[in-house]
Amino acid sequence: MQELLQDVVNAVSLGGLYALMALGVALIFGVMSLINFAHGEFIMAGTYVLIIMSGIFLPLAIFAAIALVVTLAIATERIAFRSVRGADPSTLLVTSFAVSFLLQNVGLLIFGGRARSANFLPSLNEPMVILGLEITRLDAATVVVALVLIGGLAWFLEKTSMGLEMRAASADFRMARLLGVEANKVIATAFAISGILAVAVAALLLIRTGTATPGMGLQPVLIAFVATVIGGLGRLWAAAAGGFLLGCLTVALQQGLPEDLVAYRDAFLFGFVILVLLVRPGGLLGKSALRERV
Amino acid sequence: MRRGAHVLACIGLVLVVALIGFTAGSGMESWATLTLINICLVIGLYTFSGNSGVLSFGHMAFAALGAYTVALLTLPAISKGILLPNLPSFLASAEVGGVVALLIGGLVGAAAGLIAGVPLMRLNGIAAGIGTLALLIIVNVVLVNTPSLTGGQDSLSGIPLATTLGSGTVWTAAIIVIAAAFTGSRVGLKLRAAREEEVAARATGVSVFPERLMAFTLSAFITALAGGLYVQHLGTISADALFLQYTFMVVAMLVVGGVRSLSGAVIGAIVVSGLSEILLRLEAGQPLGPLQIETRPGVREIVLALFLLLVLARRPDGLTRGRELFSRRFGKSAEPEAEPGA
């Protein structure tokens, strides 16, 4: 029982982190059907800024990271993605693949290939014991940050006119434009929000691992894809739920797989992705079919 | 123009690359051989993606399978005893010739393509992109975590070098002929019909899935063969050498050349390989004619990515605009042909 509860705590904490990763990708997919590989590099950039500023006043570091990553996200959209907007999905996919590769190597050029590390908020890694469960402050912080950001995003989408326009754009982009939604503004806003989500992920990852490398964005962005696909492409809350589900699945596989198969955990996860795509191409919680009607 | 003129043109381009390798010296022989291998890899991807219009990020998995198969079959038994002591006995003692090993590697890739294709070929668009990416990661995870077969994280080396510039040229020409024959076949035509207008193709009796599966299996065979050529050229292989970075390069080559034509695959591979070599030499501090530009690691990748983005934005159908060399409409605007290729 105790062990099971401990696993649940780990799953929820991991799931919160994964949900934040998934939301950043799902938000962009919603407004322009673009699967943004470069989201991982937004996280990478945020992590480096936090490391460089880590000695300084904490809110300032976080503010600097948000400012830089949001600028980077908007610039990426303006320079690379705007020119291919509306192209077929494979062109968009290849474009974002190229942007990700580009930013990763710019990171390599600026910061070098060796890992950089910093003690970022080390006190959060200390465990607290609550009801016999070992919970690090980081676990609690992850869940709180995830809930606050998801709640904030939900408020933004439901209660502001920009949020309304964004929801309209994800439902039917062309119709929304005909009704006066400014495409450039909505898409830029979506990129800005995904930048903020990327910084949150960067901070939480940095507390967990303490290091950054130019290639660090790959793992989170793959997790984000998996979570988005499992939850459902095109629905934000489904992507967030997919993140939590993926957290649970990861912990369950880690605990449940026979010992000699644990090394292959990620192979099982990605096998599950293919299975979901086959059985429910729209995701477990999404629309049941993606095929366009004629 | 005559049917098949573009096949001769493509083989001509291959011969030009080979000629540069034979005559230019100063490491150009290795560049030419690697360029030929890249042409084979890109044609492998073209055979599937070009004909079906479905994107694949997973083909490097087949190249890796082909490469490891060739490595395990051709490594001398003594080295295997040291590098891979836990190898199953039939592999530990196996030592076959280079060509046989290549063909077996290709068949292993084809078998993997057939098995993976059964679920994957039911997917379209973005789902196919993610599904094939998932395949790439699954194969990589398995290769890295099965040290008894692959050496795990470490690379295998000492594989007999059997790919020369001459043999590479022959293989590349053969692969061009195979890919062109498939593109011109009945199945290829059905596939392109489904690429242009899936609903209409289904309505006229193309069932799409079996055609895609055949193309996927054949392209897996070609890609695995190219992976074998790669390992026989370098003599060393690691799971991460044929993973995301190389996937990016191959996808970039195909997109730059033009996804929808065989000529595009060949031209894209040559252009990107050439650009890549020039940047590599700058990085190493060699002067380029009268120019001497110092660059740093990472610059090569940045320039390549920018080049790809430029092509995507300005010429999304690639340098060939999806046409074949010497076809009537080569270089004209990008309207879908009534009967493409052939």
Side-chain angles (χ1 to χ4, degrees):
Chain A
M1 188 62 201
Q2 197 73 4
E3 242 171 64
L4 186 69
L5 277 176
Q6 187 68 52
D7 287 342
V8 169
V9 169
N10 292 340
V12 170
S13 159
L14 203 59
L17 184 64
Y18 289 180
L20 288 176
M21 296 173 183
L23 272 178
V25 168
L27 196 64
I28 304 298
F29 183 81
V31 289
M32 60 183 295
S33 300
L34 168 83
I35 299 221
N36 191 11
F37 272 100
H39 192 70
E41 278 61 46
F42 298 167
I43 295 172
M44 181 263 290
T47 313
Y48 273 107
V49 176
L50 289 175
I51 287 182
I52 290 166
M53 309 275 290
S54 63
I56 312 170
F57 185 51
L58 178 71
L60 190 69
I62 290 178
F63 179 77
I66 289 178
L68 185 115
V69 174
V70 166
T71 312
L72 178 68
I74 293 177
T76 310
E77 190 275 321
R78 182 71 192 80
I79 295 164
F81 293 130
R82 191 169 290 184
S83 52
V84 292
R85 194 187 290 168
D88 63 303
S90 3
T91 308
L92 287 173
L93 211 53
V94 175
T95 307
S96 85
F97 202 39
V99 171
S100 153
F101 194 71
L102 175 73
L103 292 178
Q104 195 176 321
N105 283 290
V106 171
L108 183 69
L109 195 65
I110 300 176
F111 304 111
R114 283 173 53 196
R116 283 227 198 163
S117 52
N119 257 346
F120 186 72
L121 298 176
S123 61
L124 283 182
N125 271 323
E126 285 163 21
M128 316 181 281
V129 178
I130 301 171
L131 302 172
L133 292 176
E134 205 172 279
I135 302 174
T136 65
R137 292 185 195 178
L138 179 61
D139 288 331
T142 306
V143 175
V144 170
V145 170
L147 289 180
V148 166
L149 283 177
I150 294 172
L153 188 60
W155 173 84
F156 171 79
L157 288 171
E158 296 291 333
K159 298 292 178 194
T160 65
S161 64
M162 191 41 139
L164 179 69
E165 288 181 17
M166 203 172 282
R167 280 186 295 139
S170 7
D172 187 335
F173 197 77
R174 227 166 80 189
M175 189 66 198
R177 289 189 76 175
L178 287 175
L179 293 174
V181 170
E182 280 180 63
N184 289 342
K185 217 164 82 184
V186 167
I187 290 178
T189 312
F191 269 90
I193 298 174
S194 88
I196 296 173
L197 290 167
V199 172
V201 172
L204 293 169
L205 275 180
L206 185 57
I207 300 168
R208 268 170 204 260
T209 65
T211 59
T213 60
M216 67 172 288
L218 178 66
Q219 198 70 21
V221 90
L222 288 178
I223 289 167
F225 288 173
V226 175
T228 325
V229 169
I230 292 179
L233 281 165
R235 286 193 178 179
L236 281 182
W237 63 269
F244 277 102
L245 197 65
L246 185 63
C248 298
L249 198 64
T250 308
V251 173
L253 282 174
Q254 189 74 40
Q255 300 294 334
L257 279 177
E259 212 164 297
D260 46 343
L261 287 181
V262 167
Y264 299 109
R265 188 193 73 194
D266 289 355
F268 283 95
L269 273 183
F270 283 93
F272 184 66
V273 170
I274 296 179
L275 193 71
V276 170
L277 284 171
L278 281 175
V279 182
R280 287 186 63 97
L284 291 180
L285 307 163
K287 301 156 197 166
S288 59
L290 276 179
R291 178 166 295 172
E292 252 177 74
R293 294 180 60 184
V294 184
Chain B
M1 277 286 172
R2 254 169 8 95
R3 280 165 70 92
H6 71 280
V7 181
L8 292 178
C10 289
I11 294 177
L13 286 174
V14 166
L15 291 177
V16 170
V17 171
L19 203 65
I20 294 174
F22 277 124
T23 54
S26 72
M28 285 306 275
E29 186 169 348
S30 175
W31 170 81
T33 314
L34 266 178
T35 303
L36 293 178
I37 293 166
N38 285 337
I39 293 176
C40 297
L41 286 168
V42 178
I43 291 178
L45 183 58
Y46 157 80
T47 307
F48 174 67
S49 290
N51 285 312
S52 68
V54 179
L55 195 66
S56 168
F57 287 124
H59 271 65
M60 231 9 105
F62 304 128
L65 288 175
Y68 272 106
T69 307
V70 168
L72 290 180
L73 289 176
T74 58
L75 263 177
I78 297 174
S79 338
K80 274 193 272 197
I82 300 162
L83 289 167
L84 305 165
N86 301 322
L87 215 56
S89 56
F90 75 98
L91 276 175
S93 54
E95 258 184 79
V96 304
V99 176
V100 179
L102 276 177
L103 290 174
I104 296 176
L107 289 176
V108 168
L114 187 64
I115 295 166
V118 169
L120 289 176
M121 289 307 102
R122 295 171 196 280
L123 304 175
N124 266 320
I126 290 169
I130 301 278
T132 49
L133 183 65
L135 171 72
L136 178 69
I137 292 163
I138 291 172
V139 170
N140 183 262
V141 167
V142 171
L143 288 175
V144 169
N145 291 297
T146 315
S148 62
L149 275 179
T150 63
Q153 296 276 6
D154 306 325
S155 54
L156 285 181
S157 48
I159 298 141
L161 304 177
T163 307
T164 61
L165 191 47
S167 74
T169 311
V170 174
W171 280 109
T172 311
I175 284 172
I176 288 176
V177 171
I178 294 173
F182 177 78
T183 306
S185 71
R186 203 179 159 77
V187 176
L189 195 60
K190 283 183 176 178
L191 259 181
R192 287 198 305 286
R195 174 189 78 188
E196 296 301 329
E197 201 50 76
E198 191 179 334
V199 178
R202 282 183 189 279
T204 49
V206 179
S207 43
V208 183
F209 173 74
E211 286 86 5
R212 277 191 190 164
L213 189 60
M214 279 179 75
F216 198 64
T217 308
L218 178 65
S219 78
F221 175 81
I222 295 174
T223 308
L225 202 72
L229 288 171
Y230 175 83
V231 76
Q232 289 191 340
H233 171 61
L234 292 184
T236 165
I237 180 69
S238 69
D240 288 337
L242 296 171
F243 193 42
L244 278 167
Q245 177 112 355
Y246 216 139
T247 300
F248 172 81
M249 294 299 292
V250 170
V251 170
M253 288 173 191
L254 186 58
V255 172
V256 164
V259 182
R260 292 147 57 108
S261 75
L262 182 62
S263 315
V266 174
I267 292 172
I270 295 174
V271 168
V272 174
S273 303
L275 185 61
S276 173
E277 176 71 13
I278 292 170
L279 293 165
L280 205 63
R281 287 182 177 233
L282 288 177
E283 205 171 287
Q286 295 181 19
L288 188 79
L291 282 171
Q292 171 94 44
I293 314 165
E294 286 282 328
T295 62
R296 295 173 58 187
V299 171
R300 179 171 77 113
E301 287 77 6
I302 292 170
V303 174
L304 285 176
L306 284 174
F307 181 57
L308 176 61
L309 285 172
L310 193 72
V311 170
L312 281 165
R314 296 279 162 221
R315 220 163 156 160
D317 287 318
L319 297 177
T320 60
R321 295 194 195 274
R323 309 250 165 271
E324 297 295 358
L325 287 169
F326 297 114
S327 74
R328 249 178 305 127
R329 305 175 57 176
F330 183 74
K332 300 229 180 102
S333 72
E335 282 292 305
E337 285 172 273
E339 196 204 306

